[in-house]
Amino acid sequence: QVQLVESGGGLVQAGGSLRLSCAASIRTFSSYDMGWFRQAPGKEREFGAGIRWFGGYTDYTDSVKGRFTISRDNAKKEVYLLMNSLKPEDTAVYYCAAAISAGNLHVGASYDYWGQGTQVTVSS
């Protein structure tokens, strides 16, 4: 059974940094595209960052470009999201997602498995 477990969330002041991790129990993890989505209170879930299985291609939503960095370690079966220069509007539950083959990294329906989420709160 596939499991994705996020960690690293918490409370941080604006301008600070956090590093989220997602541990995947996927036998063929290196073949999966991975993504980070987020959902703020009262809002729909939105794409944050994605990385292709081969690691050489990454994509970000415009609001996090230049501040967030997604990366992966296939040997450890983990994906990370380094978040710098955090803003109050980054406050959300952050979800890790895995796709056997994500046609569009930005689209939630492209992903096959989801984690339970980790809360990130940025205070002003």
Side-chain angles (χ1 to χ4, degrees), residues 7-9 17-21 71 78-83 86:
S7 61
S17 299
L18 281 175
R19 184 186 188 229
L20 305 183
S21 298
S71 60
E78 294 185 346
V79 63
Y80 311 101
L81 186 67
L82 176 60
M83 305 184 293
L86 282 162

Side-chain angles (χ1 to χ4, degrees), residues 88-100:
E89 50 264 42
D90 294 318
T91 294
V93 177
Y94 283 71
Y95 298 92
C96 172
I100 295 172

Side-chain angles (χ1 to χ4, degrees), residues 54-76:
F54 50 87
Y57 178 83
T58 58
D59 199 7
Y60 301 88
T61 193
D62 287 344
S63 61
V64 309
K65 283 181 180 176
R67 300 189 297 123
F68 290 11
T69 303
I70 187 171
S71 60
R72 65 190 296 161
D73 185 330
N74 286 340
K76 293 183 177 180

Side-chain angles (χ1 to χ4, degrees), residues 15-45:
S17 299
L18 281 175
R19 184 186 188 229
L20 305 183
S21 298
C22 172
S25 64
I26 302 176
R27 185 174 60 86
T28 56
F29 175 79
S30 61
S31 301
Y32 279 69
D33 297 326
M34 300 297 295
W36 285 98
F37 287 74
R38 63 186 185 181
Q39 187 167 20
K43 295 188 177 181
E44 293 187 353
R45 183 181 63 193

